[in-house]
Amino acid sequence: MLEVRNLECVRGDHRLFTDLNFQLEGGELLRLRGANGSGKTSLLRTLCGLLEPAEGEVLWRGENIRAQRDEFNAELLYLGHSNGVKAELTAFENLRIHNALCGRRLPDDRLYDALVEIGLGGREDLPTQVLSQGQKRRVALARLLLSDAALWVLDEPFTALDVDAVAQLARLMEAHLQRGGMVVYTTHQEVEMRAGACREVNLDR
């Protein structure tokens, strides 16, 4: 279970949000809403332990995430607004390095299969700098196909994707929820989710 208790986030002289509380159980999806600048990305980064809250705490399975950094990170997959891929490396090389950094040594065939499934068949060995924005996003999203993390934290995951890719990503998220996983995400697009219990936090309120 992911739990947020009395969370407050301050950037400079601006308080983005305060006294924020929610819980997320397995099989649940949480969508963050709010205007630009309301603190959605800051909240996501705080949930991942990348930012320190001004007040409050984030708990994972009942314990503060900062007291169990390695254990929490092993169960977390974070995709930021940036794709986090190196332009000079191929799609395959980017995926292999990411998995190595996560401590996984997966067979090359499995990495290639993930890239084909995500829609990059025939482009697996091209430098990502020659790919379109949508294709670069698919390189990042291929990580979802290989992850066994319980918690997915996704910042604008549908950005730059075409209609087919949006539908595919929605199916991946639904399948993760059906396996008992959790998803926290932001999006400016209305994408219907047919699986899991859907919840919402609006930072404008």
Side-chain angles (χ1 to χ4, degrees), residues 14-80:
H14 182 56
R15 181 180 289 106
L16 296 174
F17 52 81
T18 188
D19 196 29
L20 184 64
N21 295 272
F22 62 82
Q23 294 181 359
L24 197 65
E25 302 278 358
E28 292 186 335
L29 175 145
L30 178 68
R31 177 178 178 179
L32 300 180
R33 291 184 181 270
N36 291 339
S38 62
K40 298 187 298 297
T41 293
S42 293
L43 175 54
L44 293 183
R45 291 176 60 81
T46 301
L47 294 180
C48 297
L50 300 174
L51 291 179
E52 183 77 27
E55 297 288 345
E57 59 181 345
V58 179
L59 306 177
W60 177 249
R61 306 194 191 283
E63 186 177 357
N64 191 295
I65 61 173
R66 297 191 176 278
Q68 49 166 336
R69 176 76 68 183
D70 291 342
E71 296 88 343
F72 177 61
N73 286 343
E75 298 195 77
L76 169 70
L77 189 152
Y78 172 58
L79 290 183

Side-chain angles (χ1 to χ4, degrees), residues 8 12 36 45 53 56 60 67 73 81 87 93 97 101 109 117 130 151 157 162 165 169-170 172 174 184 191:
E8 178 177 316
N36 291 339
R45 291 176 60 81
W60 177 249
N73 286 343
H81 198 272
E93 290 168 338
I97 288 174
L101 291 173
D109 287 350
E117 184 176 346
V130 307
L151 175 63
D162 59 25
L169 175 54
L172 289 176
E174 290 168 350
V184 182
V191 179

Side-chain angles (χ1 to χ4, degrees), residues 23-191:
Q23 294 181 359
L24 197 65
E25 302 278 358
E28 292 186 335
L29 175 145
L30 178 68
R31 177 178 178 179
L32 300 180
R33 291 184 181 270
N36 291 339
S38 62
K40 298 187 298 297
T41 293
S42 293
L43 175 54
L44 293 183
R45 291 176 60 81
T46 301
L47 294 180
C48 297
L50 300 174
L51 291 179
E52 183 77 27
E55 297 288 345
E57 59 181 345
V58 179
L59 306 177
W60 177 249
R61 306 194 191 283
E63 186 177 357
N64 191 295
I65 61 173
R66 297 191 176 278
Q68 49 166 336
R69 176 76 68 183
D70 291 342
E71 296 88 343
F72 177 61
N73 286 343
E75 298 195 77
L76 169 70
L77 189 152
Y78 172 58
L79 290 183
H81 198 272
S82 169
N83 293 318
V85 299
K86 293 187 177 297
E88 68 276 14
L89 299 181
T90 67
F92 171 78
E93 290 168 338
N94 269 286
L95 196 56
R96 183 172 58 185
I97 288 174
H98 171 78
N99 280 276
L101 291 173
C102 292
R104 293 191 297 269
R105 299 284 189 235
L106 299 178
D108 288 354
D109 287 350
R110 189 172 175 194
L111 303 185
Y112 277 112
D113 288 346
L115 291 167
V116 171
E117 184 176 346
I118 208 68
L120 291 170
R123 299 175 178 85
E124 306 96 319
D125 295 315
L126 293 177
T128 55
Q129 62 192 359
V130 307
L131 301 180
S132 70
Q133 287 303 312
Q135 290 166 343
K136 291 174 183 175
R137 194 59 172 167
R138 288 174 187 252
V139 175
L141 293 173
R143 300 168 191 166
L144 301 177
L145 292 168
L146 302 170
S147 174
D148 55 5
L151 175 63
W152 291 1
V153 177
L154 312 176
D155 194 355
E156 296 290 344
F158 299 105
T159 297
L161 297 181
D162 59 25
V163 173
D164 289 342
V166 167
Q168 182 184 26
L169 175 54
R171 290 193 298 271
L172 289 176
M173 294 166 67
E174 290 168 350
H176 182 61
L177 297 172
Q178 289 172 334
R179 293 191 296 267
M182 290 163 270
V183 178
V184 182
Y185 77 117
T186 66
T187 183
H188 290 291
Q189 298 175 242
E190 295 298 330
V191 179

